[in-house]
Amino acid sequence: SSGINAEYGGQLSHELLQIFVNGDLNDYIEFYNNNLDFVEKLAVTHEENLRKMRLLTLASMAQDCSEIEFSQLVEKLNLATEELEPFVIEAIGSGLIKGKINEPEGKISISSTINRTFKEPQWLFIMNKLEMWQKNLVIIQESMRKGHFSVPIGGG
């Protein structure tokens, strides 16, 4: 038969989902080349998948550094040089990364990025922040109780 059996299709769906969660553009392209029939039958187009994987790959690259060379982006994202700037502008506009294009030096400067995956390091970071805030609130509360500074009472 010309169809993909349900179990195999489920495995492929899971594999593709894992690529979108943890993989990069090259992982997707390899999957696409090995599973053309499956991908062509999906509700989304290969071009849309490529665009999304480029964005996710950029997010992963930006997570680990404060600057990325244009040459690295062209290679890793499989883009032509002239496609790079509009792509980075789209990524910044989508909120995926925050940064600036530094045309003269041929790089982008990253100030922040979203986390593609939220695992133990991200939870530990949040836990540490919350513990610090809690300690600061206790200190403020103690200072207020001892009368070291006053807080205006009332609405205005």
Side-chain angles (χ1 to χ4, degrees), residues 54-130:
R54 282 186 177 111
L55 288 167
L56 292 169
T57 299
L58 174 60
S60 292
M61 292 172 74
Q63 238 177 326
D64 301 325
C65 54
S66 59
E67 294 180 341
I68 306 173
E69 302 285 331
F70 286 173
S71 58
Q72 288 176 281
L73 291 169
V74 165
E75 180 186 329
K76 193 85 169 149
L77 301 176
N78 194 16
L79 287 171
T81 306
E82 61 273 6
E83 297 173 303
L84 188 60
E85 193 169 332
F87 174 78
V88 172
I89 291 169
E90 176 188 358
I92 291 171
S94 73
L96 190 66
I97 62 169
K98 288 184 183 168
K100 293 184 178 153
I101 298 173
N102 185 334
E103 191 90 44
E105 294 185 32
K107 62 186 174 187
I108 58 173
S109 300
I110 308 293
S111 55
S112 69
T113 182
I114 62 149
N115 288 311
R116 271 186 73 182
T117 55
F118 210 83
K119 296 182 178 168
E120 189 174 357
Q122 289 78 25
W123 283 116
L124 289 172
F125 177 80
I126 287 178
M127 184 180 76
N128 290 335
K129 282 276 188 210
L130 289 172

Side-chain angles (χ1 to χ4, degrees), residues 33-52:
N33 289 334
N34 292 331
N35 301 285
L36 280 168
D37 288 348
F38 174 77
V39 176
E40 295 299 325
K41 290 180 178 149
L42 295 174
V44 291
T45 65
H46 173 58
E47 289 70 30
E48 187 62 19
N49 288 340
L50 283 173
R51 190 181 76 71
K52 288 177 183 170

